[in-house]
Amino acid sequence: MQMRYEYGEGVNMLAIRNGLDKLKTYDVEEGVWPVKLDANEMPEGYTGQLPAIVAGILTQVPLNRYPQIAARDLRQTLACELKLDIEEILVGNGSSELLRAICYVFGGAGRRILFPTPSFSMYGVYTNLADSEPVPFPLSDGFALSPEKLIASAKASKVSLIILCNPNNPTGTIMPQADIEYIAANAECPVVVDEAYYEFYGQSSQNLLAKYPNLIITRTFSKAYGLAAARVGYLMTNRTLAGIINKVLLPYQINALSLAVASAVFSRREEVMPAIREIIAERSRLTSLLAGVGDISVFPSEANFLLIKTVKSLELAKQLDKKGIGVRDFSKNPGLDNCIRITVGTREENDEVAEAISSFFRRG
């Protein structure tokens, strides 16, 4: 059945696909805050020689030519570092495009895709876009995941794909590698591990790729590498799955400027490492600053953000907004009652948000 929509005084019959009227978009309020701690971005740009190097490379990009159709140079750079074959790596417009492509390949009408909840909200959107049925798997009160229960749920629902997020967004919690291996070993379908925040955690499931042919890993340059504006991500798996997933990616889908920047930054990643280590140190310090403030609970995090919980979450988020501090209010999201996510920023930004929160509770 087609959906009927009215526009102005006339009526148009549009053959819009069923279900799109119920599809939730990725709706994030874009505020302009002096202290922006809402989107898990790296808080500062590059220092040292890297900015000049990147600028010089961009001037050499021939804008009248299409980019490499298969992003071969970047994939080769990644393959050398990751000790994989180039055919085992795909590159996309952020890991988001690759996750969506995976859902297209393994989803479809009558198929089900399982993912934890609460987790990255777009998993459900990609599932619906692929005409698939979402199977949300609830995490425990402490955001832990039972691999045995997840596998039981996956088999009972006969899912065609499992998506995991490690570390998990927006909770910051992690799954032990033994649990991920248990899932990969016992799943009757492909298993995706979204490692968008891997660099802040330091542990990966990459060593399991050779052992489990159903395993896929996605990563991004948007977080630790500070290239959120460039929109570049990559995927690791065996060449058979990579070849199948590549069929649903558009040709020339990544612009040449983004490819050039990502290649330059990854080739000089040792210059990025100090900033990542600083975020990890600040994550620990911010946790200590917030511990014991008011009724706040701070959840353990291995990402570049902290999830806090307080019964005054709505009032706190509004107060921070008034002070020019942007955070992500998850208090109305299922499984995240009274929760706020705070990106780890610079030392000065972390001091400012910690003082603002402390001041809020001191005033009662």
Side-chain angles (χ1 to χ4, degrees):
M1 179 183 297
Q2 294 180 352
M3 295 164 58
R4 183 185 179 105
Y5 283 90
E6 293 189 8
Y7 292 93
E9 298 178 355
V11 177
N12 291 333
M13 294 301 296
L14 303 178
I16 298 174
R17 203 178 79 195
N18 289 333
L20 287 186
D21 58 324
K22 300 177 181 179
L23 185 64
K24 294 183 179 180
T25 58
Y26 187 66
D27 187 16
V28 178
E29 184 179 348
E30 288 285 357
V32 180
W33 301 284
V35 179
K36 193 174 186 300
L37 304 176
D38 66 314
N40 300 345
E41 302 153 322
M42 288 296 276
E44 293 183 305
Y46 298 122
T47 58
Q49 297 181 340
L50 196 53
I53 292 172
V54 169
I57 290 174
L58 289 178
T59 62
Q60 300 174 30
V61 175
L63 298 180
N64 61 313
R65 303 296 183 189
Y66 285 107
Q68 288 183 333
I69 193 168
R72 192 166 188 85
D73 286 352
L74 178 55
R75 287 168 60 221
Q76 186 61 62
T77 299
L78 290 166
C80 290
E81 168 63 20
L82 299 169
K83 296 180 173 54
L84 295 173
D85 188 89
I86 189 173
E87 302 302 326
E88 298 172 323
I89 295 176
L90 294 177
V91 174
N93 276 296
S95 54
S96 293
E97 182 187 36
L98 298 169
L99 289 163
R100 184 182 65 175
I102 293 167
C103 289
Y104 285 171
V105 169
F106 300 106
R111 294 190 171 197
R112 300 181 177 93
I113 297 176
L114 182 149
F115 47 85
T117 182
S119 192
F120 185 38
S121 62
M122 289 302 291
Y123 297 150
V125 174
Y126 301 149
T127 297
N128 288 320
L129 286 174
D131 282 332
S132 306
E133 180 183 343
V135 181
F137 180 80
L139 299 177
S140 71
D141 291 340
F143 305 125
L145 184 150
S146 166
E148 294 83 6
K149 290 181 179 179
L150 183 141
I151 286 296
S153 177
K155 290 183 177 179
S157 299
K158 298 180 180 179
V159 302
S160 58
L161 179 67
I162 295 171
I163 304 176
L164 308 172
C165 188
N166 201 42
N168 188 43
N169 174 29
T171 66
T173 49
I174 56 98
M175 292 183 61
Q177 294 303 312
D179 290 356
I180 294 176
E181 180 166 12
Y182 177 90
I183 293 170
N186 291 278
E188 297 173 347
C189 63
V191 176
V192 180
V193 182
D194 179 357
E195 293 188 345
Y197 300 92
Y198 149 72
E199 289 84 1
F200 304 105
Y201 174 40
Q203 297 187 38
S204 172
S205 296
Q206 185 188 341
N207 64 309
L208 301 177
L209 287 174
K211 189 175 181 180
Y212 299 101
N214 62 332
L215 187 61
I216 306 167
I217 296 173
T218 60
R219 291 183 186 168
T220 182
F221 283 87
S222 297
K223 307 301 181 184
Y225 286 95
L227 293 180
R231 306 302 299 125
V232 182
Y234 62 98
L235 169 159
M236 299 178 281
T237 188
N238 59 74
R239 62 172 59 214
T240 299
L241 288 184
I244 295 170
I245 296 168
N246 189 47
K247 291 183 177 183
V248 301
L249 296 176
L250 297 176
Y252 308 117
Q253 89 274 29
I254 310 170
N255 72 78
L257 298 172
S258 291
L259 285 175
V261 171
S263 294
V265 171
F266 191 78
S267 297
R268 296 164 178 81
R269 57 194 171 279
E270 69 280 353
E271 298 181 39
V272 181
M273 293 302 111
I276 296 174
R277 290 192 291 268
E278 179 66 16
I279 291 296
I280 294 171
E282 281 297 300
R283 179 182 68 200
S284 177
R285 195 176 73 87
L286 182 58
T287 299
S288 298
L289 289 174
L290 296 178
V293 175
D295 69 339
I296 284 180
S297 297
V298 184
F299 293 96
S301 175
E302 294 290 344
N304 67 334
F305 55 83
L306 296 179
L307 188 73
I308 67 171
K309 186 171 186 176
T310 169
V311 294
K312 297 182 178 180
S313 58
L314 287 174
E315 299 95 322
L316 176 58
K318 291 178 181 178
Q319 183 62 27
L320 292 175
D321 180 74
K322 288 180 180 178
K323 287 183 171 291
I325 301 173
V327 296
R328 184 75 184 274
D329 181 9
F330 279 97
S331 59
K332 296 182 180 179
N333 291 48
L336 294 168
D337 296 344
N338 298 322
C339 286
I340 293 174
R341 191 189 67 194
I342 305 173
T343 305
V344 178
T346 64
R347 186 178 184 87
E348 294 74 21
E349 289 173 336
N350 297 331
D351 285 340
E352 188 167 345
V353 71
E355 173 54 32
I357 293 173
S358 297
S359 175
F360 170 82
F361 282 100
R362 283 197 299 269
R363 291 199 306 270

